[in-house]
Amino acid sequence: MQDISSQTHTACEECDLLIAVPAVAEGERAECPRCGHTLTQRPRQGFERSLSFALAACVFFAISLAFPFLTLANGGIENVMTLPEASIAIWREQDPVLAVIVFLAIIALPIALIGTIIALVTPLVLNKQAAWLPGVGKLMFGLNDWAMVDVFVIGTIVSLVKIAKLATVILGLSFWAYILFAICLTASLSGLDRLQVWKAIDAATP
Amino acid sequence: MNYPANTAAARGLALCHVCGHLDKVELHECSRCGGGLHLRKTDSLQRTLALLVTAVILYIPANVLPIMNTVQLGKGEPATILGGVVLLINLGSYPIAAVIFIASVMVPVAKLMALFYLVWNGYRKVPASGIQCTKIYRLTELVGKWSMVDVFVVAILVALIHLTGLLVILPGPAAVAFAGVVVSTILAAHAFDTRLIWDRMKEDND
Ligand SMILES: [Zn+2]
Ligand SMILES: [Zn+2]
């Protein structure tokens, strides 16, 4: 039992069982024999796929900012609502805390998340060295829990049903782009396993 | 504290909080990324409990006060979260009423109860089975952000209806309180350390 070190062994994050570092081939997943926690997984071409989806997400997000999100038609008058207005309207109604929370959850943090994914994965895919990779890695995994893009999509659908009785709502180009953005963001994150990413960061940091 | 012999902690090894690298705890800082090294999350149970109490306190105004206020022809009509669910049922929108009821009422309550149960097991001499507690913990992590749905619904309704002029929807104080509940329960789940429960289990109990 002398040969246990950080090179040969790892521990389960959830139950702390000491485990010999599992050899994981592409497309495989290793789990903790005691509690079933996923220790690590290596999706096929994980980083390449992550990068493509992140770039696509960027494009869809730009579209969702530039076009109408929802349009309300009420007796000949049409009112156009853009995505940022979900937060700006609350700000105008004197509720700055709520406005900031909404802005962070649906716009600022998701775009920061996409930005950090691209900054992180691009050098890894191109086999480039970069000193700032650990910092970006920390930021990306920290942001992960706070982007609520998918929840906002469900919130929009619920609102549509609530308004349907009052007026006709037209779904804008931005609405569809935001849904595609949510799908691409999720797909991009699914290619990034924490242990694999940090192993790659370690190898790519000069 | 004595850690079970099959754990990393028993050998003075800890996983880095940031990158998941296994390292000697006496280094205090991860040799790979500089992140903090602790055998267990510091003051995990106390911090989780404090955040849970905060969430419970915020949960009261979140349910008692109006989440939004519909102003029509100068007359205000405040609506609470539960009132909104009842209204949707009366309108016949059963699936949407179910979404809001599950996301805004059931999930937060279930999540609070689950985390209180886990903290209680962290203090007990003989806790419930580690695998059962770990599964409950994973569920609380999974559902965490979905309770924000109602907050986003308010944001969209405020922005969209505001534009018509006939009818104004104002955000109510419950919306920000409810967002506070979601944020504190997510932080509480982060603060909890499932390994504390495994530490108290007999080793043959795997
Ligand atoms: Zn485990
Ligand atoms: Zn580290």
Side-chain angles (χ1 to χ4, degrees):
Chain A
M1 295 300 248
Q2 303 288 3
D3 54 345
I4 286 175
S5 77
S6 51
Q7 306 307 313
T8 59
H9 283 70
T10 186
C12 170
E13 203 186 351
E14 292 192 336
C15 74
D16 208 33
L17 184 70
L18 195 64
I19 304 158
V21 173
V24 184
E26 270 199 13
E28 279 183 357
R29 194 175 78 94
E31 63 177 39
C32 169
R34 179 157 76 165
C35 77
H37 173 67
T38 300
L39 296 169
T40 184
Q41 53 190 333
R42 271 181 68 190
R44 279 174 219 287
Q45 273 106 43
F47 292 163
E48 286 85 349
R49 231 185 36 186
S50 258
L51 184 58
S52 335
F53 277 117
L55 291 171
C58 240
V59 174
F60 290 128
F61 192 75
I63 296 172
S64 72
L65 282 180
F67 291 92
F69 192 70
L70 298 172
T71 303
L72 195 82
N74 190 357
I77 315 156
E78 280 200 352
N79 293 294
V80 176
M81 174 204 154
T82 60
L83 183 63
E85 248 156 337
S87 159
I88 296 167
I90 297 177
W91 182 277
R92 267 197 240 107
E93 300 302 344
Q94 321 295 326
D95 201 338
V97 180
L98 188 65
V100 169
I101 292 173
V102 171
F103 180 74
L104 287 175
I106 69 170
I107 297 173
L109 297 183
I111 197 64
L113 182 57
I114 286 287
T116 51
I117 294 175
I118 294 172
L120 179 75
V121 183
T122 308
L124 298 183
V125 168
L126 300 175
N127 282 317
K128 288 260 175 14
Q129 303 263 310
W132 39 264
L133 280 175
V136 177
K138 276 180 205 176
L139 198 57
M140 194 207 83
F141 285 106
L143 286 168
N144 205 342
D145 276 324
W146 301 101
M148 302 195 181
V149 175
D150 38 5
V151 184
F152 186 69
V153 169
I154 301 296
T156 310
I157 295 167
V158 172
S159 324
L160 290 177
V161 176
K162 283 200 165 183
I163 302 171
K165 310 271 169 181
L166 294 172
T168 314
V169 180
I170 303 148
L171 303 174
L173 182 59
S174 157
F175 171 80
W176 300 110
Y178 200 80
I179 290 184
L180 290 172
F181 167 62
I183 294 170
C184 289
L185 180 58
T186 311
S188 178
L189 287 168
S190 74
L192 300 175
D193 175 80
R194 192 167 76 129
L195 288 191
Q196 299 298 333
V197 168
W198 278 103
K199 218 165 90 183
I201 289 177
D202 198 26
T205 309
Chain B
M1 170 109 203
N2 283 322
Y3 296 101
N6 55 356
T7 61
R11 290 167 195 275
L13 296 169
L15 284 179
C16 166
H17 290 303
V18 177
C19 76
H21 182 63
L22 189 70
D23 225 329
K24 289 194 190 72
V25 72
E26 68 240 31
L27 296 174
H28 300 297
E29 276 179 12
C30 170
S31 58
R32 184 159 77 178
C33 78
L37 291 173
H38 301 277
L39 293 180
R40 297 293 175 258
K41 291 180 189 171
T42 9
D43 304 324
S44 165
L45 297 177
Q46 292 93 320
R47 281 195 302 130
T48 311
L49 206 54
L51 287 159
L52 285 179
V53 170
T54 311
V56 169
I57 292 169
L58 286 170
Y59 193 69
I60 300 164
N63 279 282
V64 175
L65 299 177
I67 191 158
M68 62 184 185
N69 203 342
T70 313
V71 183
Q72 193 167 18
L73 303 166
K75 268 199 330 197
E77 197 182 304
T80 58
I81 292 177
L82 268 176
V85 175
V86 173
L87 183 75
L88 283 167
I89 293 173
N90 290 339
L91 289 172
S93 311
Y94 300 114
I96 297 296
V99 168
I100 291 293
F101 185 73
I102 291 170
S104 303
V105 184
M106 272 172 62
V107 167
V109 171
K111 197 179 165 186
L112 283 173
M113 289 193 333
L115 285 166
F116 272 118
Y117 174 77
L118 291 175
V119 171
W120 177 55
N121 273 291
Y123 280 117
R124 277 165 83 186
K125 279 223 168 62
V126 185
S129 94
I131 191 79
Q132 187 198 329
C133 288
T134 308
K135 277 182 180 159
I136 293 174
Y137 178 75
R138 284 176 199 151
L139 268 179
T140 65
E141 275 198 313
L142 198 71
V143 299
K145 58 182 184 176
W146 287 95
S147 303
M148 280 296 269
V149 167
D150 225 15
V151 175
F152 293 144
V153 171
V154 171
I156 293 168
L157 292 182
V158 169
L160 199 59
I161 305 289
H162 182 84
L163 303 163
T164 64
L166 295 167
L167 191 71
V168 179
I169 292 187
L170 303 174
V176 75
F178 198 78
V181 173
V182 179
V183 171
S184 5
T185 50
I186 292 178
L187 290 174
H190 281 190
F192 187 75
D193 196 334
T194 45
R195 294 171 296 188
L196 294 174
I197 289 171
W198 291 96
D199 286 345
R200 284 156 183 268
M201 297 192 40
K202 289 205 186 76
E203 265 171 60
D204 52 13
N205 205 352
D206 53 343

Short mmCIF file of all heavy atoms in Angstrom, two decimals, chain A residues 7-66:
data_model
loop_
_atom_site.label_atom_id
_atom_site.label_comp_id
_atom_site.label_asym_id
_atom_site.label_seq_id
_atom_site.Cartn_x
_atom_site.Cartn_y
_atom_site.Cartn_z
N GLN A 7 -0.64 10.37 -8.69
CA GLN A 7 -0.46 9.93 -10.08
C GLN A 7 -1.25 8.64 -10.36
O GLN A 7 -1.80 8.47 -11.43
CB GLN A 7 1.02 9.67 -10.38
CG GLN A 7 1.95 10.83 -10.08
CD GLN A 7 1.50 12.12 -10.73
OE1 GLN A 7 1.17 12.14 -11.92
NE2 GLN A 7 1.46 13.20 -9.97
N THR A 8 -1.24 7.75 -9.38
CA THR A 8 -1.85 6.44 -9.63
C THR A 8 -3.30 6.38 -9.19
O THR A 8 -4.06 5.54 -9.67
CB THR A 8 -1.07 5.35 -8.88
OG1 THR A 8 -1.10 5.69 -7.48
CG2 THR A 8 0.36 5.25 -9.33
N HIS A 9 -3.69 7.24 -8.26
CA HIS A 9 -5.02 7.12 -7.67
C HIS A 9 -5.84 8.40 -7.77
O HIS A 9 -5.30 9.48 -7.91
CB HIS A 9 -4.93 6.68 -6.21
CG HIS A 9 -4.63 5.23 -6.06
ND1 HIS A 9 -3.40 4.70 -6.39
CD2 HIS A 9 -5.40 4.20 -5.64
CE1 HIS A 9 -3.43 3.39 -6.17
NE2 HIS A 9 -4.63 3.05 -5.73
N THR A 10 -7.15 8.23 -7.65
CA THR A 10 -8.05 9.37 -7.55
C THR A 10 -9.07 9.00 -6.47
O THR A 10 -9.08 7.89 -5.98
CB THR A 10 -8.71 9.68 -8.90
OG1 THR A 10 -9.46 10.88 -8.75
CG2 THR A 10 -9.63 8.58 -9.36
N ALA A 11 -9.91 9.97 -6.11
CA ALA A 11 -10.93 9.66 -5.11
C ALA A 11 -12.28 10.04 -5.68
O ALA A 11 -12.38 10.89 -6.55
CB ALA A 11 -10.67 10.45 -3.83
N CYS A 12 -13.34 9.38 -5.17
CA CYS A 12 -14.68 9.73 -5.60
C CYS A 12 -15.08 11.03 -4.92
O CYS A 12 -14.92 11.19 -3.71
CB CYS A 12 -15.66 8.62 -5.25
SG CYS A 12 -17.37 9.12 -5.48
N GLU A 13 -15.61 11.95 -5.72
CA GLU A 13 -15.99 13.27 -5.22
C GLU A 13 -17.12 13.19 -4.19
O GLU A 13 -17.25 14.03 -3.31
CB GLU A 13 -16.45 14.10 -6.42
CG GLU A 13 -16.36 15.57 -6.25
CD GLU A 13 -16.99 16.26 -7.46
OE1 GLU A 13 -17.32 15.58 -8.45
OE2 GLU A 13 -17.15 17.47 -7.38
N GLU A 14 -17.97 12.18 -4.31
CA GLU A 14 -19.15 12.12 -3.46
C GLU A 14 -19.01 11.19 -2.26
O GLU A 14 -19.70 11.38 -1.26
CB GLU A 14 -20.37 11.72 -4.31
CG GLU A 14 -20.73 12.85 -5.26
CD GLU A 14 -22.08 12.69 -5.93
OE1 GLU A 14 -22.57 11.56 -6.04
OE2 GLU A 14 -22.64 13.72 -6.35
N CYS A 15 -18.15 10.14 -2.32
CA CYS A 15 -18.03 9.26 -1.15
C CYS A 15 -16.59 9.09 -0.68
O CYS A 15 -16.34 8.42 0.31
CB CYS A 15 -18.69 7.90 -1.42
SG CYS A 15 -17.77 6.85 -2.53
N ASP A 16 -15.63 9.69 -1.40
CA ASP A 16 -14.22 9.70 -1.02
C ASP A 16 -13.54 8.33 -1.06
O ASP A 16 -12.49 8.14 -0.44
CB ASP A 16 -14.03 10.33 0.38
CG ASP A 16 -12.65 10.97 0.51
OD1 ASP A 16 -12.14 11.48 -0.50
OD2 ASP A 16 -12.09 10.95 1.62
N LEU A 17 -14.13 7.37 -1.75
CA LEU A 17 -13.48 6.08 -1.92
C LEU A 17 -12.21 6.28 -2.75
O LEU A 17 -12.23 6.97 -3.77
CB LEU A 17 -14.43 5.12 -2.65
CG LEU A 17 -13.95 3.68 -2.82
CD1 LEU A 17 -13.93 2.96 -1.48
CD2 LEU A 17 -14.87 2.96 -3.79
N LEU A 18 -11.11 5.68 -2.29
CA LEU A 18 -9.85 5.79 -3.01
C LEU A 18 -9.84 4.77 -4.15
O LEU A 18 -10.08 3.58 -3.92
CB LEU A 18 -8.70 5.54 -2.04
CG LEU A 18 -7.30 5.95 -2.49
CD1 LEU A 18 -7.21 7.45 -2.69
CD2 LEU A 18 -6.29 5.50 -1.45
N ILE A 19 -9.59 5.23 -5.36
CA ILE A 19 -9.72 4.36 -6.52
C ILE A 19 -8.49 4.53 -7.42
O ILE A 19 -8.00 5.65 -7.59
CB ILE A 19 -10.97 4.76 -7.35
CG1 ILE A 19 -12.22 4.72 -6.47
CG2 ILE A 19 -11.15 3.87 -8.57
CD1 ILE A 19 -13.35 5.57 -7.02
N ALA A 20 -8.00 3.42 -7.99
CA ALA A 20 -6.92 3.53 -8.97
C ALA A 20 -7.45 4.27 -10.19
O ALA A 20 -8.58 4.03 -10.61
CB ALA A 20 -6.45 2.14 -9.37
N VAL A 21 -6.66 5.20 -10.72
CA VAL A 21 -7.12 6.01 -11.86
C VAL A 21 -7.61 5.10 -12.98
O VAL A 21 -6.86 4.26 -13.47
CB VAL A 21 -5.98 6.92 -12.38
CG1 VAL A 21 -6.40 7.63 -13.65
CG2 VAL A 21 -5.58 7.93 -11.32
N PRO A 22 -8.89 5.21 -13.35
CA PRO A 22 -9.41 4.30 -14.37
C PRO A 22 -8.94 4.72 -15.77
O PRO A 22 -8.84 5.90 -16.07
CB PRO A 22 -10.93 4.47 -14.24
CG PRO A 22 -11.12 5.81 -13.61
CD PRO A 22 -9.88 6.18 -12.88
N ALA A 23 -8.63 3.72 -16.59
CA ALA A 23 -8.29 4.01 -17.98
C ALA A 23 -9.60 4.13 -18.75
O ALA A 23 -10.38 3.21 -18.80
CB ALA A 23 -7.44 2.88 -18.55
N VAL A 24 -9.84 5.32 -19.31
CA VAL A 24 -11.11 5.55 -20.00
C VAL A 24 -10.83 5.83 -21.47
O VAL A 24 -10.13 6.77 -21.80
CB VAL A 24 -11.85 6.76 -19.37
CG1 VAL A 24 -13.21 6.94 -20.02
CG2 VAL A 24 -12.01 6.56 -17.88
N ALA A 25 -11.35 4.97 -22.33
CA ALA A 25 -11.18 5.18 -23.76
C ALA A 25 -12.26 6.13 -24.27
O ALA A 25 -13.22 6.40 -23.55
CB ALA A 25 -11.27 3.84 -24.49
N GLU A 26 -12.09 6.64 -25.49
CA GLU A 26 -13.10 7.53 -26.06
C GLU A 26 -14.46 6.84 -26.10
O GLU A 26 -14.56 5.68 -26.49
CB GLU A 26 -12.70 7.97 -27.47
CG GLU A 26 -11.89 9.23 -27.44
CD GLU A 26 -11.85 9.94 -28.78
OE1 GLU A 26 -12.64 9.61 -29.66
OE2 GLU A 26 -11.02 10.86 -28.91
N GLY A 27 -15.49 7.57 -25.68
CA GLY A 27 -16.83 7.01 -25.69
C GLY A 27 -17.14 6.21 -24.43
O GLY A 27 -18.24 5.67 -24.30
N GLU A 28 -16.17 6.13 -23.50
CA GLU A 28 -16.40 5.37 -22.26
C GLU A 28 -16.59 6.28 -21.06
O GLU A 28 -16.26 7.46 -21.09
CB GLU A 28 -15.22 4.43 -22.00
CG GLU A 28 -15.29 3.16 -22.80
CD GLU A 28 -14.15 2.20 -22.47
OE1 GLU A 28 -13.27 2.54 -21.64
OE2 GLU A 28 -14.16 1.12 -23.05
N ARG A 29 -17.12 5.66 -19.99
CA ARG A 29 -17.44 6.39 -18.77
C ARG A 29 -16.98 5.52 -17.62
O ARG A 29 -17.12 4.30 -17.65
CB ARG A 29 -18.95 6.57 -18.71
CG ARG A 29 -19.49 7.55 -17.72
CD ARG A 29 -20.99 7.66 -17.92
NE ARG A 29 -21.67 6.52 -17.32
CZ ARG A 29 -22.16 6.51 -16.09
NH1 ARG A 29 -22.08 7.59 -15.35
NH2 ARG A 29 -22.73 5.45 -15.60
N ALA A 30 -16.39 6.15 -16.58
CA ALA A 30 -16.00 5.37 -15.41
C ALA A 30 -16.81 5.85 -14.22
O ALA A 30 -16.95 7.05 -14.02
CB ALA A 30 -14.51 5.56 -15.12
N GLU A 31 -17.36 4.89 -13.46
CA GLU A 31 -18.11 5.33 -12.29
C GLU A 31 -17.56 4.70 -11.02
O GLU A 31 -16.85 3.71 -11.03
CB GLU A 31 -19.60 5.07 -12.46
CG GLU A 31 -20.00 3.62 -12.60
CD GLU A 31 -21.51 3.49 -12.68
OE1 GLU A 31 -22.16 4.34 -13.35
OE2 GLU A 31 -22.04 2.55 -12.08
N CYS A 32 -17.90 5.36 -9.89
CA CYS A 32 -17.44 4.91 -8.58
C CYS A 32 -18.10 3.57 -8.24
O CYS A 32 -19.31 3.46 -8.31
CB CYS A 32 -17.79 5.96 -7.53
SG CYS A 32 -17.56 5.39 -5.84
N PRO A 33 -17.31 2.56 -7.87
CA PRO A 33 -17.90 1.25 -7.57
C PRO A 33 -18.78 1.27 -6.31
O PRO A 33 -19.63 0.40 -6.15
CB PRO A 33 -16.69 0.34 -7.36
CG PRO A 33 -15.55 1.26 -7.09
CD PRO A 33 -15.85 2.55 -7.77
N ARG A 34 -18.59 2.26 -5.44
CA ARG A 34 -19.37 2.28 -4.21
C ARG A 34 -20.68 3.08 -4.35
O ARG A 34 -21.73 2.62 -3.98
CB ARG A 34 -18.54 2.85 -3.06
CG ARG A 34 -19.33 2.90 -1.77
CD ARG A 34 -18.47 2.91 -0.54
NE ARG A 34 -17.86 4.22 -0.34
CZ ARG A 34 -17.28 4.58 0.81
NH1 ARG A 34 -17.23 3.73 1.82
NH2 ARG A 34 -16.74 5.76 0.93
N CYS A 35 -20.61 4.30 -4.92
CA CYS A 35 -21.81 5.14 -4.92
C CYS A 35 -22.35 5.40 -6.33
O CYS A 35 -23.41 6.00 -6.49
CB CYS A 35 -21.55 6.47 -4.21
SG CYS A 35 -20.60 7.64 -5.18
N GLY A 36 -21.62 4.99 -7.36
CA GLY A 36 -22.14 5.14 -8.73
C GLY A 36 -21.92 6.51 -9.34
O GLY A 36 -22.36 6.78 -10.45
N HIS A 37 -21.22 7.40 -8.62
CA HIS A 37 -20.92 8.74 -9.14
C HIS A 37 -20.05 8.62 -10.40
O HIS A 37 -19.12 7.82 -10.44
CB HIS A 37 -20.19 9.53 -8.05
CG HIS A 37 -19.69 10.86 -8.50
ND1 HIS A 37 -20.55 11.88 -8.84
CD2 HIS A 37 -18.44 11.34 -8.66
CE1 HIS A 37 -19.83 12.93 -9.19
NE2 HIS A 37 -18.55 12.63 -9.09
N THR A 38 -20.35 9.40 -11.44
CA THR A 38 -19.53 9.38 -12.64
C THR A 38 -18.19 10.05 -12.34
O THR A 38 -18.14 11.25 -12.08
CB THR A 38 -20.23 10.13 -13.79
OG1 THR A 38 -21.47 9.45 -14.05
CG2 THR A 38 -19.39 10.11 -15.05
N LEU A 39 -17.13 9.25 -12.35
CA LEU A 39 -15.82 9.81 -12.04
C LEU A 39 -15.33 10.65 -13.21
O LEU A 39 -14.85 11.76 -13.04
CB LEU A 39 -14.82 8.68 -11.78
CG LEU A 39 -15.12 7.81 -10.55
CD1 LEU A 39 -14.23 6.59 -10.55
CD2 LEU A 39 -14.92 8.62 -9.27
N THR A 40 -15.44 10.08 -14.39
CA THR A 40 -15.00 10.79 -15.59
C THR A 40 -15.61 10.13 -16.81
O THR A 40 -16.02 8.97 -16.76
CB THR A 40 -13.45 10.79 -15.68
OG1 THR A 40 -13.06 11.58 -16.80
CG2 THR A 40 -12.90 9.39 -15.83
N GLN A 41 -15.72 10.89 -17.91
CA GLN A 41 -16.16 10.28 -19.16
C GLN A 41 -15.46 10.99 -20.32
O GLN A 41 -15.07 12.15 -20.20
CB GLN A 41 -17.68 10.34 -19.30
CG GLN A 41 -18.26 11.72 -19.13
CD GLN A 41 -19.78 11.65 -19.05
OE1 GLN A 41 -20.41 10.75 -19.57
NE2 GLN A 41 -20.37 12.62 -18.39
N ARG A 42 -15.28 10.24 -21.38
CA ARG A 42 -14.62 10.82 -22.56
C ARG A 42 -15.51 10.68 -23.77
O ARG A 42 -15.47 9.68 -24.47
CB ARG A 42 -13.29 10.12 -22.82
CG ARG A 42 -12.12 10.76 -22.07
CD ARG A 42 -10.84 10.04 -22.39
NE ARG A 42 -10.42 10.22 -23.78
CZ ARG A 42 -9.44 9.53 -24.33
NH1 ARG A 42 -8.79 8.62 -23.65
NH2 ARG A 42 -9.11 9.74 -25.59
N PRO A 43 -16.33 11.69 -24.06
CA PRO A 43 -17.17 11.62 -25.26
C PRO A 43 -16.27 11.62 -26.49
O PRO A 43 -15.18 12.18 -26.48
CB PRO A 43 -17.99 12.91 -25.20
CG PRO A 43 -17.74 13.51 -23.86
CD PRO A 43 -16.46 12.97 -23.35
N ARG A 44 -16.74 10.97 -27.56
CA ARG A 44 -15.97 10.94 -28.81
C ARG A 44 -15.77 12.36 -29.34
O ARG A 44 -16.73 13.11 -29.45
CB ARG A 44 -16.72 10.11 -29.86
CG ARG A 44 -16.48 8.64 -29.68
CD ARG A 44 -17.34 7.83 -30.64
NE ARG A 44 -17.85 6.64 -29.97
CZ ARG A 44 -17.12 5.58 -29.67
NH1 ARG A 44 -15.84 5.55 -29.97
NH2 ARG A 44 -17.65 4.54 -29.05
N GLN A 45 -14.54 12.69 -29.68
CA GLN A 45 -14.19 14.05 -30.15
C GLN A 45 -14.83 15.14 -29.26
O GLN A 45 -15.36 16.12 -29.76
CB GLN A 45 -14.66 14.27 -31.60
CG GLN A 45 -13.67 13.82 -32.64
CD GLN A 45 -14.12 12.53 -33.29
OE1 GLN A 45 -15.30 12.38 -33.60
NE2 GLN A 45 -13.24 11.58 -33.46
N GLY A 46 -14.80 14.91 -27.96
CA GLY A 46 -15.46 15.81 -27.02
C GLY A 46 -15.15 17.28 -27.24
O GLY A 46 -16.05 18.10 -27.36
N PHE A 47 -13.85 17.61 -27.29
CA PHE A 47 -13.46 19.02 -27.38
C PHE A 47 -13.86 19.63 -28.72
O PHE A 47 -14.35 20.76 -28.78
CB PHE A 47 -11.96 19.18 -27.14
CG PHE A 47 -11.53 18.85 -25.74
CD1 PHE A 47 -10.21 18.60 -25.42
CD2 PHE A 47 -12.47 18.79 -24.71
CE1 PHE A 47 -9.82 18.30 -24.12
CE2 PHE A 47 -12.10 18.48 -23.40
CZ PHE A 47 -10.76 18.24 -23.12
N GLU A 48 -13.65 18.88 -29.81
CA GLU A 48 -14.02 19.39 -31.13
C GLU A 48 -15.52 19.68 -31.18
O GLU A 48 -15.95 20.72 -31.66
CB GLU A 48 -13.66 18.38 -32.23
CG GLU A 48 -12.18 18.27 -32.54
CD GLU A 48 -11.47 17.30 -31.61
OE1 GLU A 48 -12.07 16.86 -30.60
OE2 GLU A 48 -10.30 16.96 -31.89
N ARG A 49 -16.31 18.72 -30.66
CA ARG A 49 -17.76 18.87 -30.69
C ARG A 49 -18.19 20.06 -29.83
O ARG A 49 -19.02 20.86 -30.22
CB ARG A 49 -18.40 17.59 -30.15
CG ARG A 49 -19.46 17.04 -31.04
CD ARG A 49 -20.11 15.85 -30.40
NE ARG A 49 -20.21 16.05 -28.95
CZ ARG A 49 -20.63 15.10 -28.11
NH1 ARG A 49 -20.99 13.95 -28.57
NH2 ARG A 49 -20.71 15.34 -26.82
N SER A 50 -17.56 20.17 -28.66
CA SER A 50 -17.86 21.29 -27.76
C SER A 50 -17.62 22.62 -28.44
O SER A 50 -18.43 23.54 -28.33
CB SER A 50 -16.94 21.22 -26.54
OG SER A 50 -17.63 20.72 -25.47
N LEU A 51 -16.49 22.70 -29.13
CA LEU A 51 -16.14 23.96 -29.78
C LEU A 51 -17.15 24.29 -30.89
O LEU A 51 -17.62 25.43 -30.98
CB LEU A 51 -14.71 23.87 -30.35
CG LEU A 51 -14.18 25.15 -30.99
CD1 LEU A 51 -14.20 26.29 -29.99
CD2 LEU A 51 -12.76 24.94 -31.52
N SER A 52 -17.51 23.29 -31.71
CA SER A 52 -18.46 23.57 -32.80
C SER A 52 -19.79 24.04 -32.25
O SER A 52 -20.38 25.00 -32.74
CB SER A 52 -18.70 22.34 -33.67
OG SER A 52 -17.64 21.47 -33.64
N PHE A 53 -20.29 23.35 -31.22
CA PHE A 53 -21.57 23.75 -30.65
C PHE A 53 -21.48 25.12 -29.98
O PHE A 53 -22.43 25.91 -30.04
CB PHE A 53 -22.07 22.71 -29.64
CG PHE A 53 -22.78 21.55 -30.28
CD1 PHE A 53 -22.29 20.26 -30.18
CD2 PHE A 53 -23.96 21.76 -30.99
CE1 PHE A 53 -22.94 19.18 -30.78
CE2 PHE A 53 -24.63 20.69 -31.58
CZ PHE A 53 -24.11 19.41 -31.48
N ALA A 54 -20.34 25.43 -29.36
CA ALA A 54 -20.19 26.74 -28.72
C ALA A 54 -20.20 27.84 -29.77
O ALA A 54 -20.81 28.90 -29.56
CB ALA A 54 -18.89 26.78 -27.91
N LEU A 55 -19.55 27.61 -30.90
CA LEU A 55 -19.53 28.62 -31.96
C LEU A 55 -20.94 28.81 -32.55
O LEU A 55 -21.39 29.94 -32.76
CB LEU A 55 -18.54 28.22 -33.07
CG LEU A 55 -17.07 28.27 -32.64
CD1 LEU A 55 -16.17 27.66 -33.70
CD2 LEU A 55 -16.63 29.70 -32.33
N ALA A 56 -21.65 27.69 -32.73
CA ALA A 56 -23.03 27.78 -33.22
C ALA A 56 -23.90 28.54 -32.22
O ALA A 56 -24.71 29.40 -32.60
CB ALA A 56 -23.59 26.38 -33.47
N ALA A 57 -23.70 28.24 -30.92
CA ALA A 57 -24.47 28.92 -29.88
C ALA A 57 -24.25 30.43 -29.94
O ALA A 57 -25.17 31.22 -29.77
CB ALA A 57 -24.08 28.37 -28.50
N CYS A 58 -23.00 30.82 -30.20
CA CYS A 58 -22.64 32.24 -30.32
C CYS A 58 -23.48 32.92 -31.41
O CYS A 58 -24.02 34.01 -31.21
CB CYS A 58 -21.17 32.34 -30.71
SG CYS A 58 -20.22 33.22 -29.54
N VAL A 59 -23.56 32.27 -32.55
CA VAL A 59 -24.31 32.82 -33.68
C VAL A 59 -25.80 32.95 -33.31
O VAL A 59 -26.42 34.00 -33.51
CB VAL A 59 -24.16 31.91 -34.93
CG1 VAL A 59 -25.06 32.40 -36.06
CG2 VAL A 59 -22.69 31.87 -35.36
N PHE A 60 -26.37 31.88 -32.74
CA PHE A 60 -27.78 31.91 -32.36
C PHE A 60 -28.05 32.99 -31.30
O PHE A 60 -29.09 33.63 -31.30
CB PHE A 60 -28.25 30.55 -31.86
CG PHE A 60 -28.33 29.52 -32.95
CD1 PHE A 60 -27.71 28.29 -32.83
CD2 PHE A 60 -29.02 29.80 -34.13
CE1 PHE A 60 -27.77 27.35 -33.85
CE2 PHE A 60 -29.09 28.87 -35.15
CZ PHE A 60 -28.47 27.64 -35.01
N PHE A 61 -27.09 33.19 -30.40
CA PHE A 61 -27.30 34.19 -29.37
C PHE A 61 -27.31 35.59 -29.97
O PHE A 61 -28.14 36.43 -29.62
CB PHE A 61 -26.22 34.09 -28.29
CG PHE A 61 -26.54 34.90 -27.07
CD1 PHE A 61 -27.50 34.45 -26.17
CD2 PHE A 61 -25.94 36.11 -26.83
CE1 PHE A 61 -27.83 35.19 -25.05
CE2 PHE A 61 -26.27 36.87 -25.71
CZ PHE A 61 -27.22 36.39 -24.82
N ALA A 62 -26.39 35.84 -30.92
CA ALA A 62 -26.36 37.14 -31.60
C ALA A 62 -27.69 37.39 -32.30
O ALA A 62 -28.25 38.49 -32.22
CB ALA A 62 -25.20 37.18 -32.60
N ILE A 63 -28.22 36.37 -32.97
CA ILE A 63 -29.51 36.52 -33.65
C ILE A 63 -30.61 36.83 -32.64
O ILE A 63 -31.46 37.69 -32.86
CB ILE A 63 -29.87 35.22 -34.43
CG1 ILE A 63 -28.84 34.99 -35.55
CG2 ILE A 63 -31.28 35.29 -35.02
CD1 ILE A 63 -28.99 33.66 -36.26
N SER A 64 -30.58 36.14 -31.49
CA SER A 64 -31.67 36.33 -30.53
C SER A 64 -31.63 37.71 -29.89
O SER A 64 -32.63 38.19 -29.37
CB SER A 64 -31.66 35.22 -29.48
OG SER A 64 -30.58 35.39 -28.61
N LEU A 65 -30.46 38.37 -29.93
CA LEU A 65 -30.39 39.74 -29.40
C LEU A 65 -30.86 40.75 -30.44
O LEU A 65 -31.35 41.83 -30.11
CB LEU A 65 -28.96 40.08 -28.98
CG LEU A 65 -28.47 39.52 -27.66
CD1 LEU A 65 -27.04 39.96 -27.41
CD2 LEU A 65 -29.36 39.96 -26.50
N ALA A 66 -30.70 40.42 -31.72
CA ALA A 66 -30.91 41.41 -32.77
C ALA A 66 -32.35 41.48 -33.29
O ALA A 66 -32.73 42.46 -33.91
CB ALA A 66 -29.95 41.11 -33.93
#
